[in-house]
Amino acid sequence: MKQLEQFFLLIDQCLNDTKFIRKHALSEKDFTRNRILTFRNTFWGLLAHTGASLQSEIPLLTRKFCGEIPPVSPQAFSKARNKMNYTSCKELFEFSAKKLIFHKQYKGYFLAAVDASKILPPDTSEIRNVLGTCGNQFSERAGALVSLLYDPLSDHIINGILSNCNESERKNLYTLIEQTHLENTILLLDRGYPGKEVYRFLSQHKLKYVIRMGIGNSNPRYIRESVNADQISTDIKNPDITHRIIRFKLNDNSEELLITNIYDTQFTVEDFKTLYHFRWPIETKYDELKNKFQLEKFTGKTLNSVYQDFYNQMTKLNIISYLRQISSLEINSVGHKKKISIQASIKVFLFYLPQLLHDTFRRIEIIHEICMLLKKILFPVRDGRSFSRKKKHTDLKTWFREFNRYHGLPKQDAVFFNMSDLICELAKSEDCVIMGRCADTILKNNHIPHISLFISAPFQVRVQHVMDIRNMNLKQAV
């Protein structure tokens, strides 16, 4: 808990330090005059962003920060954040990566998983020029590639980069490793990374690795010809490449193939099976970043604002992960194994984040309060439970019928376009009230005059309302 308190003290020092402000202001004149939106207030507003639009969030900043941030317009806030370089957000993320980590090991080694995922930033010419475009022969738009270096044992992002969407995942892997000091670490990689250059690069950096391979003829001959569950083989064409090849069956009876440069016999096939499963949490971390923290709901349309949001979201992920870790220490000491709900913990954290930033005197008390709430939003962990993957098969006749019915569009897109037409017709012909359905965006894009209202309430009020209406306790309501 002291580490988290020290981290917020470090944020306070940086945001009040003239050298830090001058280093990360885009010009020498920015943030020099005594204005309402100081560097600190602007950074607070960005970090406390909950995923809603700036139009709806900025008017609430005064209440969130108990008057520390005076009332400002969304236009004034956007103007101020464009004077702040994203490198300030990156530097504070790097602080979180170093400070907020539990140094857990598996058989004397740290673990680090690497994976990449594409995202859709705002589609502007500036972002297209730097981050590239993705799409198909019919349409294209701006895209970007996120690559993370992640510690699955501590649920912690060690490093992350946002690059051109057409960049190679392997090149991003090289960048992550060169930027990060890794010692006594096992890298866990998926099927997109195997290659001679990768093996040599990792060996030069004295890193151990476990890489998942595909099953098929695309593998090199020395891997295809391995028949034992655990054997060491050398590539005849590249004598400097030697691997320990591991084969095992999963619970659904499918076969998995791993290669590694760990030759220590203390690591058995079961240990490698465990390491294979340790790679999976990086997939759920991407789900947390993209869906639960809504990374793609960027608060600005400039390249600088995209990078600001990217690093701020990773900082918040590390803070909430650390809070879950310290709250979990007492949970599993007695009784059945339980786990903190990720979705509920994010809502609790985002509600308390403004208080953590500005209320320096009550910070320790607030951290204890968050931990007490997190200990109440638990669900049991059922080890060994799995579900078979259901694959949808569409016959040719059904495919042609749906193709004609939806004019060649995916079903979801066709339904959305029909709904959009109906909303526009209603709005043009009569007065009406439309709840949800992306109606504000649809009417705005079609230049139809309208009044848009966003109704919200503090998290605690919403929880109390659910408890009263549905007769639930606090745990069920959260």
Side-chain angles (χ1 to χ4, degrees):
M1 196 168 292
K2 288 183 179 179
Q3 289 173 283
L4 187 58
E5 184 189 1
Q6 290 172 358
F7 173 70
F8 278 106
L9 285 173
L10 188 62
I11 291 180
D12 294 338
Q13 292 171 7
C14 289
L15 297 182
N16 292 306
D17 181 20
T18 305
K19 290 183 179 179
F20 182 87
I21 295 172
R22 296 271 53 81
K23 177 183 176 183
H24 298 294
L26 282 176
S27 74
E28 295 180 358
K29 296 181 180 179
D30 294 335
F31 300 106
T32 54
R33 298 172 64 183
N34 188 19
R35 293 184 179 274
I36 292 176
L37 279 172
T38 62
F39 190 96
R40 183 195 67 171
N41 291 349
T42 306
F43 187 90
W44 278 0
L46 286 175
L47 194 62
H49 175 243
T50 60
S53 65
L54 281 182
Q55 293 286 340
S56 59
E57 281 218 356
I58 296 306
L60 301 175
L61 285 181
T62 303
R63 180 185 294 178
K64 282 184 177 181
F65 288 94
C66 301
E68 288 274 341
I69 300 179
V72 293
S73 66
Q75 292 79 9
F77 185 85
S78 296
K79 189 175 180 180
R81 65 94 57 92
N82 288 332
K83 296 176 182 178
M84 185 175 73
N85 199 327
Y86 76 88
T87 51
S88 59
C89 305
K90 182 179 180 182
E91 188 168 330
L92 291 176
F93 159 69
E94 290 169 352
F95 287 150
S96 76
K98 293 175 183 176
K99 298 288 184 183
L100 306 179
I101 185 169
F102 286 77
H103 296 284
K104 297 181 180 180
Q105 293 183 333
Y106 181 81
K107 288 205 164 189
Y109 287 93
F110 299 107
L111 301 185
V114 179
D115 207 351
S117 178
K118 288 190 176 182
I119 63 169
L120 299 176
D123 191 19
T124 65
S125 58
E126 180 192 17
I127 294 174
R128 283 185 175 214
N129 292 335
V130 177
L131 297 179
T133 58
C134 59
N136 53 37
Q137 58 184 349
F138 301 107
S139 64
E140 63 177 17
R141 54 152 298 140
L145 183 68
V146 175
S147 292
L148 298 182
L149 182 65
Y150 171 75
D151 181 348
L153 295 178
S154 301
D155 187 24
H156 180 83
I157 299 175
I158 305 169
N159 197 0
I161 54 176
L162 184 69
S163 65
N164 190 292
C165 64
N166 299 309
E167 194 69 82
S168 164
E169 290 186 22
R170 295 181 184 180
K171 188 175 179 181
N172 281 0
L173 168 67
Y174 302 152
T175 305
L176 286 170
I177 291 173
E178 287 170 347
Q179 289 180 355
T180 314
H181 181 67
L182 296 175
E183 282 187 353
N184 197 37
T185 301
I186 298 175
L187 275 179
L188 307 176
L189 303 174
D190 204 13
R191 290 179 288 196
Y193 292 95
K196 293 177 289 185
E197 296 79 9
V198 174
Y199 309 145
R200 289 169 180 148
F201 177 85
L202 297 178
S203 298
Q204 288 170 5
H205 286 75
K206 299 179 180 179
L207 290 171
K208 302 294 183 183
Y209 56 83
V210 176
I211 304 179
R212 182 187 179 200
M213 303 291 289
I215 305 291
N217 295 326
S218 59
N219 290 327
R221 183 176 178 180
Y222 75 102
I223 295 177
R224 293 199 311 268
E225 292 180 350
S226 64
V227 292
N228 299 325
D230 184 357
Q231 72 177 66
I232 297 175
S233 299
T234 301
D235 189 352
I236 298 175
K237 295 182 179 179
N238 302 278
D240 61 319
I241 296 176
T242 299
H243 283 127
R244 184 177 177 183
I245 303 168
I246 309 294
R247 294 179 183 270
F248 57 85
K249 295 280 187 179
L250 296 176
N251 294 335
D252 61 357
N253 210 35
S254 61
E255 186 182 43
E256 281 296 339
L257 173 63
L258 306 177
I259 62 170
T260 180
N261 62 345
I262 302 173
Y263 308 113
D264 189 346
T265 53
Q266 290 184 351
F267 281 83
T268 64
V269 173
E270 282 301 314
D271 290 322
F272 286 109
K273 189 175 181 180
T274 302
L275 287 173
Y276 161 77
H277 288 294
F278 274 139
R279 197 205 66 83
W280 179 250
I282 195 173
E283 306 289 351
T284 58
K285 183 56 67 172
Y286 271 114
D287 173 64
E288 196 174 340
L289 178 65
K290 294 171 67 174
N291 299 323
K292 296 181 174 62
F293 265 96
Q294 299 178 323
L295 173 64
E296 292 178 314
K297 285 191 174 181
F298 291 97
T299 59
K301 295 186 177 182
T302 65
L303 184 66
N304 187 52
S305 63
V306 167
Y307 276 106
Q308 286 174 349
D309 290 345
F310 172 66
Y311 287 111
N312 279 341
Q313 297 291 50
M314 291 200 297
T315 300
K316 289 190 284 189
L317 271 175
N318 278 346
I319 297 172
I320 185 59
S321 295
Y322 185 85
L323 285 167
R324 284 198 296 260
Q325 291 279 332
I326 59 178
S327 302
S328 300
L329 294 176
E330 300 174 14
I331 291 171
N332 295 315
S333 57
V334 180
H336 296 291
K337 191 176 180 182
K338 295 180 179 179
K339 188 177 180 182
I340 295 171
S341 166
I342 292 177
Q343 185 70 51
S345 66
I346 290 173
K347 290 181 179 179
V348 170
F349 167 68
L350 291 177
F351 175 77
Y352 280 98
L353 180 57
Q355 298 177 49
L356 282 172
L357 288 170
H358 80 84
D359 198 342
T360 55
F361 297 104
R362 290 188 59 248
R363 191 168 281 158
I364 297 177
E365 182 184 337
I366 294 167
I367 292 172
H368 278 288
E369 194 174 335
I370 294 172
C371 292
M372 290 300 295
L373 276 173
L374 294 185
K375 291 174 187 176
K376 295 178 181 178
I377 46 177
L378 307 174
F379 63 91
V381 176
R382 296 178 174 88
D383 294 324
R385 173 174 285 194
S386 62
F387 299 92
S388 58
R389 181 177 294 176
K390 295 180 180 179
K391 297 182 179 180
K392 295 182 179 179
H393 298 281
T394 305
D395 57 64
L396 193 60
K397 183 178 179 181
T398 304
W399 186 88
F400 273 113
R401 184 171 65 247
E402 291 195 352
F403 183 87
N404 291 329
R405 181 179 180 184
Y406 300 114
H407 309 288
L409 293 170
K411 187 186 296 184
Q412 295 86 346
D413 290 351
V415 170
F416 175 77
F417 288 133
N418 288 337
M419 182 184 68
S420 300
D421 292 341
L422 178 61
I423 289 172
C424 291
E425 287 176 12
L426 279 171
K428 289 177 180 178
S429 59
E430 58 183 306
D431 294 336
C432 59
V433 177
I434 303 170
M435 297 177 64
R437 305 294 177 184
C438 302
D440 56 335
T441 304
I442 293 169
L443 296 174
K444 180 181 177 181
N445 291 342
N446 285 276
H447 308 290
I448 299 174
H450 65 283
I451 298 173
S452 181
L453 298 177
F454 177 78
I455 302 172
S456 181
F459 179 72
Q460 290 177 329
V461 175
R462 300 203 304 270
V463 171
Q464 187 62 48
H465 179 70
V466 173
M467 291 169 64
D468 296 339
I469 296 298
R470 300 186 181 179
N471 196 24
M472 293 179 173
N473 57 36
L474 178 62
K475 179 181 175 182
Q476 292 171 322
V478 169

